[in-house]
Amino acid sequence: MGKKGDLRHFERGMVVGARRAGLSISQSAQLLGFSRTTIFRVYKEWCTKGKTSSMRQSCGQKCLVDARGQRRMGRLIQADRRATLTEITTRYNRGMQQSICEATTRTTLRRMGYNSRRPHRVPLISTTNRKKRLQFARAHQNWTVEDWKNVAWSDESRFLLRHSNGRVRIWHKQNENMDPSCLVTTVQAAGGGVMVWGMFSWHTLGPLVPIGHRLNATAYLSIVSDHVHPFMTTKYPSSDGYFQQDNAPCHKARIISNWFLEHDNEFTVLKWPPQSPDLNPIEHLWDVVERELRALDVHPTNLHQLQDAILSIWANISKECFQHLVESMPRRIKAVLKAKGGQTPY
């Protein structure tokens, strides 16, 4: 028996071509491998409508989750974002005449645009700090990109020699759990790391300074006098520059405040809201360094190699990259205003 049902576009064209060549319905069915009924129907549709595309509804199993069911599933997701596939399926099936399996739940969620992802980590912002972030955004909502070009951004970051990835999964049989090929080695304190302090502005990348130990007020004073001061006076000779720093304890120490007060005629320290890494574009430069470190063909095996790699990556960050980050500041400010001082996608 020949093939029945709806045909693809090129198959329907073959049917019409065979009939127009003078072949009978039986001859066309035998040549193409379709049923006589299908040959008759396709050729009749072409004669009456002049089309070889299918006008029939698509075939296949009826969807078990209709529009109403999708709305129900959407409400379950909104109520508990952390629910597992099993939990969603179980809750959906409660009170339903026709139950569904987890595979159907997964397919429906993907059709609805949902995907299971690791949650984006954001700092917990207190009510007081939300107000301060909102005040900062309102005070700078009229700043243009040209205004933000006068800001020099700074921050510290730590890069680990080894990374632990809790998302790694492997396949093994019941008695293979201790097989060497099924193990992931770990190192206490991730093998150590390198802390650096850096700064940049729209005009250029600034220095990247390795920090031997923890950054205290004395060490930070050396950085400010040896690196911040020459950068600000060179890039902003008209004393119209702003220096940004966060609210780390060493940044707020008295000796640091006194130093900035003595040099307030050369540049201004930008009053920065607490818990606002999303407003500091240098955070994205740290992400660039981290990605490049992971992408190295030969990974550093000691702290000296790690430090050299970090300095090399920093020096090769493109101008377009860090300028684009500064140019995003008006959008970041709008995002804080929209979130009323809360977390933003940045």
Side-chain angles (χ1 to χ4, degrees):
M1 182 180 292
K3 178 179 177 181
K4 291 185 178 181
D6 204 19
L7 307 182
R8 288 173 288 182
H9 180 72
F10 79 93
E11 293 175 328
R12 298 171 69 87
M14 291 169 58
V15 170
V16 173
R19 293 289 286 123
R20 292 192 66 189
L23 298 180
S24 65
I25 293 178
S26 299
Q27 291 172 332
S28 300
Q30 185 177 5
L31 176 66
L32 301 175
F34 304 143
S35 68
R36 297 175 71 254
T37 302
T38 300
I39 298 293
F40 176 80
R41 175 176 53 79
V42 171
Y43 187 64
K44 182 179 179 181
E45 287 178 357
W46 181 81
C47 292
T48 56
K49 301 177 181 179
K51 294 182 178 181
T52 57
S53 58
S54 175
M55 304 298 292
R56 301 175 65 193
Q57 294 290 333
S58 59
C59 303
Q61 183 180 3
K62 182 180 179 181
C63 183
L64 296 178
V65 182
D66 55 12
R68 183 178 180 182
Q70 290 186 14
R71 290 194 296 271
R72 172 182 170 85
M73 196 170 292
R75 289 192 295 270
L76 293 174
I77 293 293
Q78 295 292 333
D80 185 4
R81 293 279 186 175
R82 301 185 180 186
T84 64
L85 200 63
T86 302
E87 292 171 339
I88 296 171
T89 304
T90 302
R91 294 168 186 173
Y92 179 87
N93 288 333
R94 290 173 185 168
M96 299 293 289
Q97 293 182 350
Q98 185 175 16
S99 62
I100 62 174
C101 63
E102 292 183 16
T104 301
T105 302
R106 182 187 296 108
T107 302
T108 303
L109 290 175
R110 287 179 178 175
R111 186 182 300 117
M112 296 170 63
Y114 285 104
N115 289 288
S116 179
R117 295 287 187 270
R118 288 170 63 89
H120 183 65
R121 296 183 179 274
V122 295
L124 179 63
I125 303 176
S126 66
T127 303
T128 300
N129 290 338
R130 284 175 67 104
K131 293 180 180 178
K132 293 180 179 180
R133 283 166 52 85
L134 189 57
Q135 291 172 356
F136 179 86
R138 286 172 176 168
H140 297 84
Q141 61 182 328
N142 294 323
W143 274 35
T144 65
V145 173
E146 293 300 318
D147 295 317
W148 292 111
K149 287 181 180 180
N150 291 332
V151 178
W153 310 90
S154 72
D155 192 25
E156 304 88 32
S157 185
R158 182 177 178 85
F159 298 93
L160 299 179
L161 184 61
R162 296 182 178 90
H163 306 273
S164 63
N165 190 342
R167 291 174 291 175
V168 173
R169 294 177 178 270
I170 59 173
W171 293 95
H172 70 80
K173 296 179 180 179
Q174 186 174 3
N175 60 345
E176 294 179 334
N177 58 320
M178 292 305 296
D179 187 278
S181 64
C182 299
L183 302 178
V184 176
T185 58
T186 60
V187 179
Q188 187 175 8
V194 173
M195 177 175 283
V196 294
W197 173 94
M199 69 180 298
F200 84 104
S201 71
W202 185 89
H203 304 283
T204 185
L205 281 175
L208 189 68
V209 182
I211 302 172
H213 302 284
R214 69 184 184 89
L215 186 63
N216 55 27
T218 303
Y220 188 61
L221 181 61
S222 298
I223 291 176
V224 169
S225 59
D226 295 342
H227 300 284
V228 174
H229 185 252
F231 183 92
M232 297 301 295
T233 54
T234 301
K235 299 303 175 183
Y236 304 101
S238 301
S239 303
D240 57 349
Y242 292 85
F243 174 67
Q244 180 275 338
Q245 61 176 3
D246 60 23
N247 295 281
C250 64
H251 299 171
K252 311 301 290 184
R254 178 170 296 182
I255 58 174
I256 303 299
S257 300
N258 290 339
W259 190 96
F260 282 129
L261 188 61
E262 293 173 1
H263 297 81
D264 62 355
N265 62 324
E266 296 175 305
F267 60 90
T268 303
V269 177
L270 191 65
K271 189 175 181 180
W272 194 247
Q275 294 183 296
S276 299
D278 54 339
L279 282 174
N280 192 350
I282 201 173
E283 296 288 346
H284 292 268
L285 291 187
W286 299 141
D287 293 339
V288 171
V289 175
E290 185 69 44
R291 287 196 302 269
E292 292 297 325
L293 281 174
R294 292 175 180 255
L296 290 175
D297 294 331
V298 179
H299 293 275
T301 58
N302 56 57
L303 297 183
H304 180 72
Q305 292 178 1
L306 177 62
Q307 178 175 303
D308 289 344
I310 294 170
L311 294 173
S312 176
I313 293 171
W314 175 269
N316 287 282
I317 295 177
S318 68
K319 193 173 184 179
E320 292 77 9
C321 176
F322 61 79
Q323 287 185 345
H324 175 73
L325 292 175
V326 175
E327 291 164 1
S328 71
M329 282 307 300
R331 298 191 297 273
R332 294 170 188 256
I333 294 296
K334 289 181 180 179
V336 174
L337 292 172
K338 183 177 180 180
K340 298 181 180 179
Q343 293 93 346
T344 71
Y346 294 93

